[in-house]
Amino acid sequence: MKRAIPFLLLTLGACAEVTTAPLATARHVPSNVPYGSDGARLHLFVFDPNAPRSLTDRKAIARRQIALEPGCAWVDAPDKVLIEETRKQGARFADTMLVAPLRCSLT
């Protein structure tokens, strides 16, 4: 009987599904609103509306997304600016969107 238990556990373990959480992503769209004087424009980042995120998390996801796009670069802005611009989208989107400046080329 002692041999049956390890065999049973191995059998059940083989049936278990391995899951990994996918990295969160965001879509972004440019606006016509300039930021600063060096060609940056505000962009709206849209995150999963079912998963509210902190400002720190939204910035990290957005920066990671932009790093994958060769034609765009993140432009540092104070958190106060990001919060104010994001709030303009509506209070209910405060944790699921982010407005941040980017400098993007047309290439």
Side-chain angles (χ1 to χ4, degrees):
M1 188 68 162
K2 288 185 179 180
R3 290 184 177 206
I5 291 174
F7 177 74
L8 180 61
L9 291 176
L10 286 174
T11 305
L12 290 175
C15 296
E17 182 178 331
V18 177
T19 59
T20 57
L23 290 176
T25 59
R27 292 176 295 147
H28 70 96
V29 293
S31 73
N32 292 328
V33 179
Y35 179 80
S37 60
D38 58 357
R41 299 228 176 258
L42 294 177
H43 284 234
L44 174 65
F45 289 86
V46 181
F47 302 88
D48 179 357
N50 296 315
R53 293 179 169 83
S54 68
L55 176 62
T56 301
D57 289 346
R58 286 179 283 141
K59 282 174 49 177
I61 294 165
R63 289 179 81 118
R64 186 176 61 234
Q65 189 75 33
I66 293 309
L68 299 173
E69 297 185 26
C72 288
W74 185 266
V75 175
D76 286 323
D79 285 353
K80 181 179 178 181
V81 170
L82 303 180
I83 292 167
E84 288 175 8
E85 293 297 329
T86 302
R87 282 191 179 149
K88 290 179 183 178
Q89 304 304 310
R92 72 180 201 169
F93 301 114
D95 297 332
T96 59
M97 290 186 176
L98 176 68
V99 176
L102 302 177
R103 192 174 307 105
C104 297
S105 65
L106 298 175
T107 58

